[in-house]
Amino acid sequence: REVLFDKNEWETPHTFNPKHFLEDGQFKKRETFLPFSAGKRGCLGEPLARIELFLFFTALLQKFTFQAPKDVKLSLQFRVGITLCPQPYQICALSRGCGCYDTSYHDGSSS
Ligand code: HEM
């Protein structure tokens, strides 16, 4: 975990900053960011985990818009455990429609 707070490696090690992984708007790989570890004892499940994360987030983001409840400012404060995780929070998931490609299902003719 220490390497994630190394100020020689990260521009703002203690602040959420997507720019750590961006260069001219493109994804930039960082050698010191190894969430699955590496080498012989690296995570065996990495390919599966990556596919799962992709499916999980794309499915949710295709169907919903996520935003803070009215008058609530979300916090980036975290809880320390085996991993760092967010403090309890509430979030609104607004439906973006049913995601069905065939609009004829919705013209009222039949169900
Ligand atoms: C986001 C999800 C995951 C993360 C961040 C993650 C991360 C890691 C890390 C850092 C290690 C190395 C631990 C060490 O240094 O000893 C590890 C090991 C391992 N992971 Fe994962 N993992 C994830 C998901 C999975 C999944 C889905 C599976 C299996 C289906 C899995 C199976 C394993 C196994 C078997 C090892 C032990 C490898 C060994 O010691 O030879 N992981 N994981």
Side-chain angles (χ1 to χ4, degrees), residues 34-50 52-53 83:
L34 289 172
F36 296 96
S37 193
K40 276 187 188 162
R41 301 309 299 266
C43 178
L44 279 183
E46 177 169 350
L48 176 65
R50 284 188 179 278
E52 280 186 88
L53 288 169
T83 59

Side-chain angles (χ1 to χ4, degrees), residues 9-109:
E9 181 62 32
W10 308 98
E11 294 75 30
T12 58
H14 294 281
T15 311
F16 173 70
N17 181 0
K19 286 189 185 150
H20 286 152
F21 298 95
L22 290 172
E23 198 166 54
D24 304 325
Q26 297 294 309
F27 178 70
K28 174 173 66 164
K29 203 168 181 308
R30 303 286 294 248
E31 295 298 323
T32 40
F33 183 68
L34 289 172
F36 296 96
S37 193
K40 276 187 188 162
R41 301 309 299 266
C43 178
L44 279 183
E46 177 169 350
L48 176 65
R50 284 188 179 278
I51 292 165
E52 280 186 88
L53 288 169
F54 177 78
L55 291 175
F56 183 83
F57 284 110
T58 49
L60 283 175
L61 292 169
Q62 274 174 358
K63 304 258 179 199
F64 299 101
T65 297
F66 291 92
Q67 63 186 39
K70 200 169 175 308
D71 301 328
V72 172
K73 183 151 178 3
L74 294 177
S75 156
L76 289 173
Q77 292 301 311
F78 51 80
R79 283 195 298 200
V80 181
I82 293 175
T83 59
L84 302 183
C85 58
Q87 306 265 355
Y89 63 94
Q90 292 186 313
I91 192 116
C92 294
L94 305 177
S95 176
R96 295 162 62 115
C98 76
C100 177
Y101 296 116
D102 186 349
T103 50
S104 67
Y105 284 123
H106 304 292
D107 65 4
S109 55

